[in-house]
Amino acid sequence: MRKISAKKIMRSFLAFLLAAALFAGHAEGTAKSAKYIFLFIGDGMGTAQRNAAEVYLAGMREAQGDVAPREAQLTMNLLPVQGFIRTDSLSGVTDSAAAGTALAAGRKTQNGAVAMNPKSGENFVSIAQTARRMGMKTGIVTSSFLQDATPAVFYGHAKKRTEHYALGIQLIDSGYEYFAGGGFRNPKGRDKKSADLYGIAASKGYAVIRDLGKPPAAEKVIAVHPKASNGYMPWVIDERGGPSLADLVDYGIERLDGHDGFFMMVEGAKIDLACHAHDAASAVRETIAFDEAVGRAVKFMERRPEPTLIVVTGDHETGGMTLGSLEEMKNTVYDTLSFQQGSYSVFERRTASQKGEKMTDGVNAAKKFFGPWIIVTPDIEKAFKLSAMDTKKRKTAAANYDKLYSAYDPFTIACMASSNSYCGITWTTFSHTGKHVPVSAAGIQAELFAGEYENTGICDRILSAMDGGEETKRGGR
Ligand SMILES: [Zn+2]
């Protein structure tokens, strides 16, 4: 893992800001418009997710003998401008489709709708579409599948986010120069009877690549992670080799950089998935990997004097993650979470494949996977017995089953709850929350992103930055 030198980053930022100020003063009236624009969206990433990742980084540095582990900060938290956005959609607590629509197109909508008003049928124009109309190049990067809600709001429109095939066609028709991530989900449609999306993409000039080492001559590229499964990039905690989200950003910079300028959206999709499952160890690793991707944009900004803008935010918070517990905290976040041997999904598969085993064997396996602090408590025992049951019988065998385990394996959830509270991390829901999420920004016009405002204000402010900082469309909310 890349070791982050917080001081070095801060020093280089100060140098950059000074240079930017001098440059602006020297060439007054010119070069105030953002030309190279990065929008990073950590799906499900609120303050606690960032906070837990920093506590983890500090522990890691301490374990490596660093004398000042407290200085371990995420790159995004070091960006000079910080703000907050409100995240509610027209349906209340938002999903990623409505939140993405607000960020991408500056309009509130109902949950499930992709960049449109599902009642009137009005389609909303995204920043990416505007950038393309202005002649800029456009890239979309995600650790999820390319037709998932967050990437889709930047190129497509749909009444329902599950219209994956139709969104795939819209992706191809967008003509954006760069797509990267887990590839298409169900490329031949759900019934597997439609024309292959990869074939259609190729016929319209896209090079579909799975190896970043071989740059294709094509102007348009769809980069698919070689180890993607069901459209998702592998969990960072499970991954052994293969390009990272940061690598996909670097590759995108190579593809898009030029005189025209570019807009690139980068989504860290699996922070959300980890938090839905209450898997703090995976959430922290995904957040750090997402932050490394932000770091690549910062490197780009440092080596390019031209006007670059970096904006980092989340679409909503997931899980109601909190650093604190009613129980006595007995271990550090780093010591506890670094022990975990893989993502929750690996342990879920193990539990499913070992039905009928003795509880002592199951708990011993959990000790090896989550940590030696897993002991037989009434909660663990109850969950183990439920996991051994037929999926259909489970729900009637325990009161409040859904509130306790949602759709996950009960034994896995109980082990993670035990491990998490052991180091002072707790959760309040398996869903999204209505919490504000932080915004961080650096570069030209970054000061527009300070303060507290609606999530639609992200779109307004980026458009304003593209116009050289003029008043935002809707009065600078
Ligand atoms: Zn979610």
Side-chain angles (χ1 to χ4, degrees), residues 292-338:
E292 284 172 357
V294 174
R296 303 297 172 93
V298 169
K299 276 213 173 98
F300 172 84
M301 187 169 76
E302 285 170 350
R303 71 173 187 260
R304 285 302 219 104
E306 292 96 330
T308 300
L309 170 66
I310 302 171
V311 181
V312 187
T313 190
D315 53 354
H316 52 74
E317 195 274 344
T318 302
M321 188 191 211
T322 294
L323 276 71
S325 170
L326 283 170
E327 291 175 40
E328 192 191 345
M329 193 185 115
K330 302 188 191 89
N331 207 354
T332 69
V333 169
Y334 175 73
D335 287 342
T336 308
L337 300 187
S338 65

Side-chain angles (χ1 to χ4, degrees), residues 45-48 50 77 82-85 312-314 436-440:
M45 188 182 73
T47 44
R50 289 181 177 211
N77 287 355
Q82 302 284 337
F84 276 102
I85 50 171
V312 187
T313 190
H436 288 25
V437 296
V439 180
S440 310

Side-chain angles (χ1 to χ4, degrees), residues 43 272 276 316 318 432:
D43 205 308
D272 174 66
H276 275 293
H316 52 74
T318 302
H432 301 167

Side-chain angles (χ1 to χ4, degrees), residues 132 146-147 155 165-176 179 184 187 195-206 208 220 222:
R132 185 166 163 78
L146 295 172
Q147 317 105 303
Y155 62 76
Y165 191 81
L167 286 166
I169 296 287
Q170 293 181 57
L171 180 156
I172 295 162
D173 288 340
S174 75
Y176 295 178
F179 288 96
F184 289 121
D196 184 18
L197 288 172
Y198 289 114
I200 299 172
S203 73
K204 296 205 173 172
Y206 276 98
V208 178
K220 299 184 290 184
I222 297 176

